[in-house]
């Protein structure tokens, strides 16, 4: 019996960088390692509409929008 592989969590912190979002999400979804998740923390203009239509339904991507700017 082999040991379970550890979950890898990737964190994307973004503020008003809409041009990079589709490419970054595509690169994440192209990864072959399992299990993994991407947590997007957005404190700028909401980028949720820029995510691929099925990105949030996979359970691998979690989107958090903050209404105020946060320090890193």
């Amino acid at each position: 019996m082999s040991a379970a592989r550890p979950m890898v969590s990737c964190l994307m912190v973004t503020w008003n960088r809409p041009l990079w979002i589709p490419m970054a999400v595509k690169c994440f979804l192209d990864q072959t390692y399992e299990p993994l998740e991407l947590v997007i923390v957005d404190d700028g203009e909401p980028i949720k509409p820029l995510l691929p239509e099925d990105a949030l339904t996979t359970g691998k991507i979690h989107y958090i929008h903050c209404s105020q700017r946060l320090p890193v």
Side-chain angles (χ1 to χ4, degrees):
M1 177 190 271
S2 63
R5 295 173 80 175
M7 167 72 83
V8 171
S9 297
C10 301
L11 180 62
M12 179 194 312
V13 180
T14 185
W15 179 77
N16 292 343
R17 298 237 168 146
L19 296 177
W20 296 101
I21 301 306
M23 180 184 65
V25 170
K26 181 186 179 323
C27 287
F28 171 80
L29 291 173
D30 286 346
Q31 300 304 306
T32 58
Y33 181 92
E34 291 288 341
L36 81 159
E37 67 179 352
L38 174 64
V39 179
I40 302 171
V41 180
D42 175 17
D43 63 353
E45 292 295 317
I47 61 158
K48 192 172 184 178
L50 301 175
L51 298 175
E53 193 170 306
D54 62 341
L56 298 173
T57 62
T58 65
K60 293 181 179 182
I61 299 179
H62 311 283
Y63 177 76
I64 301 167
H65 183 261
C66 301
S67 59
Q68 63 184 19
R69 185 97 193 264
L70 303 171
V72 175

